[in-house]
Amino acid sequence: MPNIHNKNCRFPGVGNASVKSIRNFRSMGCREKEKVLLSMWQEYQVRPGLSVSVLDAALPDTFSFDYRRDNQFIDFGFFLEGDSVNEIRKGPRGNRMVENRAGKGGIGFFKHMNGIVTIPAGKKVRIVHMHVMPEVLGSMLCDDVDCVNPSLRKVLEQEDGAEFFRHHCMSPKVQAVANEVFFGVRNNFGVKLYMEGKTLELLGLSLVEGDCPVKSGLHSLCPRERDIIHAIRKELEETFVVPPSLAELSSKYGISVHKIQAGFRSLYGMSVFGLLKEFKLQKARMLFEEGDMNVSEVAWAIGYINLSHFGTAYRKRFGILPKAYLKAAQANVYDRADGVPGS
């Protein structure tokens, strides 16, 4: 996404003082597109040099815009729902086409860049970005800086010309925390300590899972097998209501059931069933936050036939029964509609 700046943006949880924003909508050169993005974009300043922004979009027509920026932040991206394409133009160094979809994440730092972002029509899109200055992240890491990717470490040390880019699949743990951050910002959750804790948790998980040396378990998968495991995960997330069996996936992709199971544990740290269950429950939470469906409708929408089983699974995952969570989410929506900050 582009580096956009909105001088008068207000951040929830830090009082009513205007705070300089990350994004510059005026740089787009199109007033109508500025208004569209402003209606979909929210930001939250966690601490000086560390901010979170969320994009919550559902557009009837395909939407695209150009951007150009001189950057001072490392960007961490978490794509929670929908898809988009970001064509990053790097001049003599070539272009990079980044296809984002649910479950994808990335870390990037380019001092100078421009490109085009395209959001397709008719799909809900939810994205979280963290923006952190290299010197701020470096000071937080202290001795742990040796654990991060060597190329990213050069950015933290502010070496001349240092740049970094990594695009990967998020683990279920990262997705879960990213969802919590998304709804914290989107619903104007006013407890600064909570928001700071969740943002730092997401930042730490992203660095641990994205930039530490490759775990030994990954060596058991060849590049082709890793691509297959990613493809299987994508198919399961697209057919999560009535997913194919492991036997069907094994036959379709020409890989053994044992290798599928081992691959999921190696790449995502969870079993196939565990990852699918986590995806369903996170989807249920998102549906509750939207407030348009009751508990039964949400359970059926994610593939649960037995409401008791759904309630048990939801309470075990989030520590609260679905009905109670829905009631709290709806109350928060009504509070925001009346201009009262959510609790």
Side-chain angles (χ1 to χ4, degrees):
M1 298 299 296
N3 203 22
I4 301 173
H5 163 95
N6 173 19
K7 186 170 72 173
N8 296 318
C9 179
R10 297 175 183 270
F11 294 87
V14 293
N16 291 324
S18 294
V19 182
K20 185 176 181 180
S21 171
I22 298 297
R23 305 279 181 188
N24 185 0
F25 288 90
R26 292 174 299 176
S27 68
M28 297 174 60
C30 176
R31 187 59 180 166
E32 289 306 313
K33 290 187 176 182
E34 292 173 24
K35 290 180 180 178
V36 171
L37 278 178
L38 277 169
S39 70
M40 303 185 298
W41 197 269
Q42 285 181 266
E43 294 185 9
Y44 185 98
Q45 186 183 56
V46 179
R47 57 171 66 172
L50 173 61
S51 297
V52 178
S53 61
V54 302
L55 178 72
D56 188 3
L59 301 169
D61 301 308
T62 298
F63 183 81
S64 65
F65 54 89
D66 300 336
Y67 65 89
R68 183 182 301 274
R69 71 183 183 184
D70 295 319
N71 191 31
Q72 58 180 330
F73 292 92
I74 302 171
D75 289 323
F76 291 73
F78 310 90
F79 214 90
L80 303 177
E81 187 174 4
D83 57 74
S84 73
V85 176
N86 185 359
E87 182 183 350
I88 303 173
R89 298 169 177 171
K90 290 294 296 173
R93 303 187 64 177
N95 298 342
R96 183 189 296 267
M97 189 72 73
V98 181
E99 296 183 1
N100 289 306
R101 61 175 179 79
K104 286 284 189 178
I107 305 172
F109 177 83
F110 295 111
K111 193 66 177 178
H112 308 287
M113 65 184 297
N114 64 87
I116 300 175
V117 171
T118 302
I119 301 174
K123 289 187 177 181
K124 184 77 171 176
V125 177
R126 300 176 191 258
I127 310 171
V128 174
H129 276 96
M130 291 189 298
H131 318 274
V132 58
M133 288 183 168
E135 59 269 30
V136 172
L137 181 56
S139 67
M140 288 192 291
L141 285 169
C142 297
D143 293 339
D144 290 333
V145 71
D146 292 333
C147 295
V148 305
N149 183 290
S151 296
L152 180 58
R153 192 159 62 243
K154 292 180 180 179
V155 174
L156 298 179
E157 294 167 354
Q158 301 183 63
E159 291 189 14
D160 289 341
E163 295 183 335
F164 181 78
F165 182 80
R166 185 176 188 275
H167 197 227
H168 57 273
C169 286
M170 294 186 289
S171 74
K173 286 193 295 184
V174 169
Q175 283 184 281
V177 180
N179 269 298
E180 292 173 330
V181 171
F182 176 91
F183 288 119
V185 176
R186 200 73 180 97
N187 294 334
N188 296 320
F189 192 84
V191 181
K192 187 170 176 61
L193 182 63
Y194 171 87
M195 288 302 301
E196 182 167 4
K198 283 299 174 183
T199 304
L200 294 179
E201 180 183 1
L202 183 56
L203 189 61
L205 283 173
S206 300
L207 290 170
V208 168
E209 299 190 0
D211 291 313
C212 277
V214 177
K215 298 177 183 179
S216 59
L218 294 181
H219 292 302
S220 62
L221 294 173
C222 69
R224 173 183 169 274
E225 289 169 336
R226 286 199 293 272
D227 289 343
I228 289 174
I229 297 300
H230 289 321
I232 290 174
R233 172 180 173 166
K234 179 180 179 181
E235 178 167 343
L236 288 173
E237 290 179 348
E238 290 175 346
T239 60
F240 67 92
V241 177
V242 186
S245 67
L246 287 178
E248 290 170 330
L249 291 169
S250 174
S251 176
K252 178 177 179 178
Y253 289 95
I255 186 173
S256 70
V257 170
H258 173 75
K259 183 65 75 171
I260 294 174
Q261 293 170 324
F264 267 71
R265 290 194 178 279
S266 179
L267 289 177
Y268 308 123
M270 300 179 74
S271 67
V272 178
F273 174 77
L275 187 143
L276 185 60
K277 183 178 180 181
E278 175 69 16
F279 181 85
K280 286 185 173 186
L281 293 175
Q282 290 294 339
K283 182 70 174 178
R285 183 173 178 173
M286 292 168 67
L287 293 172
F288 284 142
E289 292 284 347
E290 291 174 353
D292 297 328
M293 303 168 71
N294 61 35
V295 173
S296 298
E297 290 170 334
V298 169
W300 296 330
I302 65 169
Y304 274 86
I305 298 175
N306 189 304
L307 293 181
S308 177
H309 290 172
F310 171 61
T312 299
Y314 195 90
R315 183 173 186 176
K316 184 176 181 180
R317 174 62 183 86
F318 298 114
I320 186 172
L321 286 171
K323 186 175 182 179
Y325 189 87
L326 175 59
K327 184 177 180 180
Q330 289 175 332
N332 195 42
V333 169
Y334 296 146
D335 284 346
R336 287 189 286 114
D338 293 334
V340 180
S343 59

